Amino acid sequence: VIGPQQFCEIMQYLEGLKNIFGQIDVDRSGDISVAELSRALHLSGFNVTGSPGGGDPLSLMVAEKIGRAYDLDGNGVVTFDEFVQMRLEWDNYLNAWDAVAPASNGIAPQQLVAMVEGIKQSLEPMSVLAMNPMAANLSGFCSQSF
């Protein structure tokens, strides 16, 4: 059960993601295309080739692969819900990286293992809930509805 403070923090997080999504969705279609995702990755410092703008073939290919991984409905674009899922996962990865290798461009094998373990531990509660919703002891949950 979340309290009012946690609810407010979640809503602020979602509002921030909505603003970011709006900046990425330059054609205002309500979805993020491969080209828009590639440009956003480039602007955030993820630069595959060093070419300006992220519009080169290799950058577009990487953006397409990332986009496909989060395009759960298979419509060829990233919707807001899919974007939220992507950011939640990426934020977990970045937080784990920062905890293990702050202000570093490199990472030792032992640090990589520690980082992966940290990510795994942060995601385990969600995977338990996904596999067994009754484990969350949600009030009002009825197993017969499934």
Side-chain angles (χ1 to χ4, degrees):
V1 177
I2 65 169
Q5 179 65 31
Q6 292 167 316
F7 179 78
C8 288
E9 290 170 5
I10 291 169
M11 295 308 294
Q12 288 174 340
Y13 180 77
L14 289 173
E15 185 67 28
L17 290 184
K18 179 181 165 193
N19 291 333
I20 293 167
F21 186 88
Q23 292 172 7
I24 296 170
D25 180 23
V26 293
D27 67 2
R28 301 292 178 246
S29 66
D31 298 311
I32 297 175
S33 68
V34 170
E36 290 170 329
L37 182 57
S38 182
R39 180 180 163 277
L41 290 169
H42 174 76
L43 291 174
S44 66
F46 183 77
N47 197 345
V48 177
T49 63
S51 299
D56 61 278
L58 184 58
S59 295
L60 289 171
M61 187 174 70
V62 169
E64 181 180 3
K65 191 166 187 101
I66 292 169
R68 220 177 306 131
Y70 291 95
D71 181 16
L72 301 177
D73 60 9
N75 66 351
V77 293
V78 176
T79 64
F80 180 70
D81 290 345
E82 294 163 343
F83 178 73
V84 170
Q85 179 66 36
M86 180 177 75
R87 277 300 304 260
L88 285 169
E89 289 182 23
W90 285 32
D91 287 348
N92 265 327
Y93 301 148
L94 293 173
N95 289 339
W97 177 270
D98 288 343
V100 174
S104 171
N105 290 331
I107 187 168
Q110 302 86 349
Q111 290 174 307
L112 180 60
V113 170
M115 182 185 75
V116 171
E117 278 298 316
I119 292 169
K120 180 182 173 201
Q121 289 174 0
S122 72
L123 297 177
E124 279 178 353
M126 289 183 277
S127 67
V128 168
L129 178 59
M131 297 303 290
N132 183 6
M134 294 293 287
N137 294 324
L138 299 173
S139 61
F141 179 80
C142 174
S143 61
Q144 287 82 17
S145 64
F146 285 94

